[in-house]
Amino acid sequence: MNVSKSKAIALLVSLVVFVSVATNITTNYFTSKHKENYNVGSSSQLPEGYARFASATKALDTDFTVAADLTVHAVVHVKTKGTVQQPQMDMFNDDPFFQYFFGPQQRNNRRQQKQEAVPLGAGSGVIISKDGYIVTNNHVIANSTEIEVTLNDKRTFKAKLVGTDPNTDIALIKINADDLPTIVFGNSDDLKVGEWVLAVGNPFNLTSTVTAGIVSAKARSIGIIGSNGSGNMPIESFIQTDAAINPGNSGGALVNTKGELIGINAAIASQTGSYAGYGFAIPVSIVKKVVTDLREHGAVQRAILGVNIANLDADAQEVKDVIKDKNIKTLNGALVMNLVEKGAAEKAGVKKGDVINEVNGVKVNSVSELQEQIGRYKPGDKVTLGILRENKPITLNVGLTNAQGNTKVVTYDGTINSLGAKFKEIDTKIQKSLGLDYGLQIESLTKGKFNDNGIKPGFIIIKINNNPIRSEEDVQAAYDEAMRGDDKVLYIAGVYPNGKVTYYAVNLED
């Protein structure tokens, strides 16, 4: 190597060392000044948001493939069928007692004929147990007589309805299968606005689809549950997301980036019925309670506080009057407008004008948040309410009840076994002699609700709760509808073979 070349290399190395040392000295100087200015050792003295910068930037580097792979196989396509019936004139229309039971009936001369099952609609569902329990929306399976489930691997099963809760728009169905893929339940309470989420559904009966977005808001109430008359005590505390959710995704999964279930997709905000920017999901905190009750009892054990409540920022004049009269100075909490006489809240000392802002130590800022918290408990549970009364904080202990004011457990196994009846088609001769166009006859009775209420073998059921009865499936549908209601009663109209028209009211809770 010649000398000039060696000198050039030596000069270059020296220059690199000099630049490195100079950079190090400069960096140390400015870092030292930064520490002096912000005292990095104490996060309380950092600029707002500075302490979370590292974790926030790390959160941006998110790979959705793992969460998608953990969840798509546990999301299914749900298809339903139902029957269409036409109005019919029957032998009961002129009976005054029939009018007393069911109200005035529309008269016409057309005979009613049972139609074959026709498609009603479709949606998605989420497998939550290896042995085939699937959660979906109540509105996906409502009024159906047949439910069919297609898995992500294309296998198809007939599903049995376990139970429904129109008040939260949750339904539980079951297929006969084993070793199915499932989604692990997460914690919707830990969700933060701005957090990434995935909406997983199977709307087209192909394979599951995934869309991504963020949590836009929590505890949203949009007035959709009960708008069709299905839920009489609606509980709405939706997770709002901008992940694309279309109608066929109803009943699908909302999951976090760990692949944990944090909600069941339920609705979209759209004038056209197609995705338009916002979707809504039922928090898994509500889903867990409902599903557990449906599996154990066949009906939700709903706890009632016994209050009529409103948001403090509501425009209603009566709300403004209460706020003014009570000199309320907060907008956080649920305002007590009225109380149910002898209800749980009244017995505990809650008063009109109180502001409930806490349940068992959990802050509640709105009606929807209060409903979500109370919805986690069952009749008989005791909760401690944090209340502002005349702007002064107090606490009251409340023993929750059910809608009937007691703590009795409503049991229902999802079938009509508790009626204790075996059914058969009407004998042709009896049908002609009585002039019946439809009905279902009781062949025999064992211990059960029918026997307890004086119903005898041979009785022909014509209507239950004003619904025509032609088959055991119709009885099941009427039973399901009654169990979803408040009074849990079957109002039965029928006739014995000797022509004696008789009416029964069967209380399903006794």
Side-chain angles (χ1 to χ4, degrees), residues 18-34:
F18 172 77
V19 170
S20 177
V21 171
T23 300
N24 189 45
I25 293 172
T26 303
T27 300
N28 288 338
Y29 171 78
F30 282 108
T31 301
S32 177
K33 295 300 289 181
H34 180 81

Side-chain angles (χ1 to χ4, degrees), residues 360-381:
N360 280 353
V362 178
K363 294 290 184 184
V364 292
N365 298 311
S366 63
V367 167
S368 58
E369 290 185 9
L370 177 59
Q371 289 177 328
E372 180 182 350
Q373 289 301 317
I374 296 298
R376 302 180 185 201
Y377 298 96
K378 62 182 184 296
D381 286 345

Side-chain angles (χ1 to χ4, degrees), residues 32 66 171 210 223 242 267 302 349 384:
S32 177
V66 174
V210 180
D242 64 355
R302 176 132 296 127
T384 300

Side-chain angles (χ1 to χ4, degrees), residues 76-350:
V76 303
H77 180 73
V78 179
K79 183 167 63 176
T80 62
K81 290 183 180 180
T83 56
V84 177
Q85 298 173 343
Q86 299 174 346
Q88 169 187 304
M89 181 178 72
D90 60 50
M91 65 183 291
F92 290 88
N93 278 333
D94 294 322
D95 192 322
F97 206 65
F98 183 87
Q99 304 292 330
Y100 175 79
F101 248 48
F102 300 125
Q105 304 293 295
Q106 292 184 346
R107 301 296 300 270
N108 58 66
N109 294 318
R110 291 176 299 171
R111 293 188 177 275
Q112 187 174 35
Q113 298 177 351
K114 185 175 181 180
Q115 306 296 320
E116 291 185 3
V118 297
L120 283 182
S124 302
V126 180
I127 305 172
I128 59 171
S129 72
K130 289 183 177 295
D131 59 347
Y133 282 96
I134 297 169
V135 63
T136 184
N137 288 144
N138 175 66
H139 75 259
V140 169
I141 55 85
N143 303 316
S144 64
T145 55
E146 295 179 26
I147 305 173
E148 184 180 274
V149 169
T150 303
L151 306 186
N152 200 48
D153 62 9
K154 293 301 179 181
R155 286 184 292 164
T156 300
F157 298 85
K158 294 292 184 183
K160 167 186 149 185
L161 179 64
V162 176
T164 65
D165 182 32
N167 292 306
T168 57
D169 196 23
I170 290 294
L172 186 66
I173 59 179
K174 173 81 165 58
I175 61 174
N176 290 323
D178 295 309
D179 201 27
L180 296 172
T182 62
I183 298 182
V184 176
F185 277 47
N187 188 346
S188 52
D189 292 343
D190 292 340
L191 271 183
K192 292 180 173 58
V193 173
E195 183 175 338
W196 282 105
V197 289
L198 303 181
V200 189
N202 192 329
F204 306 117
N205 198 16
L206 299 171
T207 54
S208 296
T209 60
V210 180
T211 57
I214 62 169
V215 175
S216 307
K218 295 178 66 177
R220 285 291 201 221
S221 178
I222 57 176
I224 192 170
I225 297 180
S227 60
N228 59 359
S230 60
N232 48 33
M233 291 186 293
I235 297 176
E236 289 193 3
S237 189
F238 291 121
I239 301 166
Q240 180 180 315
T241 176
D242 64 355
I245 298 174
N246 281 297
N249 293 84
S250 290
L254 190 71
V255 302
N256 58 22
T257 53
K258 299 176 185 176
E260 297 171 333
L261 184 69
I262 45 88
I264 295 295
N265 299 324
I268 57 175
S270 169
Q271 298 296 321
T272 64
S274 298
Y275 175 71
Y278 293 112
F280 299 89
I282 305 158
V284 77
S285 59
I286 292 176
V287 176
K288 272 198 247 185
K289 166 68 166 58
V290 171
V291 167
T292 299
D293 283 352
L294 293 179
R295 287 186 70 169
E296 292 181 2
H297 308 292
V300 176
Q301 310 304 306
R302 176 132 296 127
I304 302 297
L305 194 53
V307 291
N308 178 264
I309 51 180
N311 286 316
L312 288 155
D313 59 353
D315 290 330
Q317 187 58 49
E318 57 182 338
V319 173
K320 295 178 181 178
D321 290 341
V322 172
I323 293 174
K324 180 180 178 182
D325 292 342
K326 298 296 182 180
N327 191 31
I328 296 172
K329 298 178 180 178
T330 180
L331 292 178
N332 292 324
L335 177 66
V336 177
M337 300 296 294
N338 290 295
L339 294 103
V340 175
E341 186 177 356
K342 296 181 181 179
E346 185 182 70
K347 289 178 180 178
V350 177

